[in-house]
Amino acid sequence: MKVLGIETSCDETGIAVYDSDNGQVWQRLYSQIEKHREYGGVVPELASRDHVVKAAPMLEEIIAEIGDIGALDAIAYTRGPGLVGALMVGANLARGLAWALNKPLLGVHHMEGHLLAPMLGDETPELPFVALLVSGGHSLLVDVRRLGEYRILGETLDDAVGEAFDKTAKLLGLPYPGGPELARLADSVASSRFEFPRPMTNRPGLEFSFSGLKTAALNIVRENEPLDEGLRAEIAHAFQQAVVDTLRIKCRRALEATGYRSLVIAGGVGANRCLREELQKTVRKLDARVYFPALEYCTDNGAMIAYAGALRFLAGQQDNEIYEVLPRWSLDTLPVI
Ligand code: KG4
Ligand code: ZN
């Protein structure tokens, strides 16, 4: 069964087809980063307009690859959370297609897409598992008992992890989106003379707070100006170390609290090399396992939406009567499948 997935919640246009019979994926991904870079962040109106221009031609390319638009069994799109105008572009394209082809339509939760993305790989986690979702807009730990049954164990009280990476990168003069750039700079040195706090780790609980790290970075930058390349790398290194350490501590706590043996990492920050290495060490000590999506499925993409849509369609869900997108949508309110 072939399901089309359309992702337009933020600044990536992702179009993919997932075949549930053999796991095959056809996909196109277009990043708008260049369009937003000069503004230092995503400009919602530009994002919507660019999705309009890019989505349909990308869809045509994929259809040419699979041969026949009639081969699609269902159409899935990101219904939320995200930028409202951007979401509407994908939703309307999906709705038009579903109507024209007389096919079932599925509105997928963006974060459910992220947390199921590791299942597109060869080694898939068994349920139940703990998921750490770390992206530009979200940071949460989720207890995944069954598909659709998501209990939020802890969330950020302020900035998301990716946001903290991006803001600190900006302070260091790195181009937007700074997360990967900051990581590269951090990895260029083996140690740092600086030390950042590990927020909210000295008391029990699974909540996060990352805005203090950005302030700590600002203070260090001010105290050490002018910064040369070496100093910037050391600041980046200490910042990354603090974030990774904090996430590692909370993941360990979540595994201990649930008694689960599998940890799934998803979202753009899941691409971070240092985070991957440290979590591998942590789970080894706990006799548990950690699963990461392939790098191409870590950041926003259409395949994860097609996959989540396929699972929901196979479970009998259909959203052809739903018309509104949900810019805010809590993960723990989804129907269990
Ligand atoms: O999941 P995603 O593509 O989009 C959202 O739904 O937000 O995540 C993007 C975020 C950005 O903040 C980006 O800077 C961060 O993920 N990111 C990274 C790395 N790669 C992407 N942060 C740290 N290290 C990386 N290697
Ligand atoms: Zn995302």
Side-chain angles (χ1 to χ4, degrees):
M1 196 193 61
K2 289 191 177 70
V3 177
L4 176 70
I6 301 176
E7 157 62 38
T8 63
S9 68
C10 191
D11 60 347
E12 256 115 20
T13 316
I15 312 277
V17 170
Y18 169 73
D19 189 336
S20 63
D21 295 335
N22 54 17
Q24 195 175 347
V25 172
W26 297 260
Q27 76 159 336
R28 289 285 184 284
L29 192 57
Y30 163 74
S31 169
Q32 304 178 344
I33 281 173
E34 294 305 326
K35 288 250 164 19
H36 302 288
R37 184 164 279 147
E38 64 176 294
Y39 305 99
V42 177
V43 182
E45 179 64 21
L46 288 184
S48 313
R49 290 176 187 220
D50 212 20
H51 287 308
V52 170
V53 174
K54 297 294 187 320
M58 286 164 67
L59 173 66
E60 278 170 16
E61 282 178 27
I62 299 249
I63 298 302
E65 266 175 43
I66 65 166
D68 174 16
I69 198 164
L72 295 174
D73 295 289
I75 319 288
Y77 68 97
T78 305
R79 188 179 171 209
L83 302 170
V84 67
L87 289 168
M88 278 161 60
V89 176
N92 285 333
L93 178 59
R95 173 160 304 286
L97 272 175
W99 180 76
L101 301 170
N102 195 22
K103 300 281 173 174
L105 182 66
L106 293 121
V108 171
H109 192 292
H110 180 80
M111 302 311 287
E112 179 174 62
H114 271 305
L115 77 81
L116 298 181
M119 296 188 171
L120 284 162
D122 297 333
E123 287 196 337
T124 63
E126 275 180 28
L127 292 160
F129 57 77
V130 170
L132 172 71
L133 300 178
V134 274
S135 69
H138 299 265
S139 301
L140 54 159
L141 274 162
V142 189
D143 171 351
V144 180
R145 284 181 222 176
R146 281 185 288 161
L147 290 175
E149 188 175 349
Y150 308 124
R151 187 166 62 96
I152 295 172
L153 298 168
E155 265 183 288
T156 180
L157 305 177
D158 40 59
D159 290 354
V161 188
E163 193 179 356
F165 262 98
D166 294 341
K167 286 178 176 171
T168 303
K170 202 170 181 176
L171 278 175
L172 293 175
L174 299 169
Y176 172 84
E181 301 274 347
L182 188 151
R184 214 168 298 132
L185 190 59
D187 291 346
S188 71
V189 289
S191 64
S192 172
R193 77 193 74 171
F194 303 108
E195 177 84 13
F196 281 77
R198 272 59 173 159
M200 301 185 73
T201 53
N202 57 0
R203 55 181 125 148
L206 295 167
E207 313 289 6
F208 303 104
S209 166
F210 293 105
S211 66
L213 287 181
K214 177 190 62 196
T215 313
L218 181 62
N219 291 337
I220 292 178
V221 166
R222 283 196 179 141
E223 283 159 18
N224 290 279
E225 266 166 340
L227 300 180
D228 61 20
E229 185 69 4
L231 269 175
R232 286 164 66 234
E234 283 193 49
I235 297 171
H237 187 92
F239 169 85
Q240 175 172 271
Q241 212 65 47
V243 172
V244 167
D245 224 21
T246 305
L247 293 174
R248 179 182 64 74
I249 291 167
K250 300 284 167 146
C251 284
R252 190 190 65 215
R253 274 188 202 167
L255 285 171
E256 284 168 350
T258 54
Y260 297 169
R261 289 260 169 271
S262 299
L263 175 66
V264 164
I265 312 298
V269 184
N272 186 277
R273 190 199 55 81
C274 178
L275 179 68
R276 288 180 172 231
E277 285 180 10
E278 287 301 317
L279 288 176
Q280 287 287 8
K281 285 186 212 157
T282 302
V283 295
R284 224 170 284 143
K285 283 185 202 141
L286 293 171
D287 198 22
R289 287 194 63 179
V290 60
Y291 299 85
F292 298 96
L295 282 178
E296 61 182 327
Y297 300 139
C298 250
T299 44
D300 292 350
N301 65 86
M304 67 183 194
I305 302 303
Y307 181 73
L311 292 190
R312 289 196 166 273
F313 176 57
L314 287 169
Q317 186 172 327
Q318 279 199 29
D319 301 326
N320 291 59
E321 303 307 317
I322 286 174
Y323 291 93
E324 80 285 337
V325 293
L326 298 174
R328 287 168 178 274
W329 188 7
S330 181
L331 188 60
D332 53 11
T333 59
L334 302 187
V336 176
I337 52 173

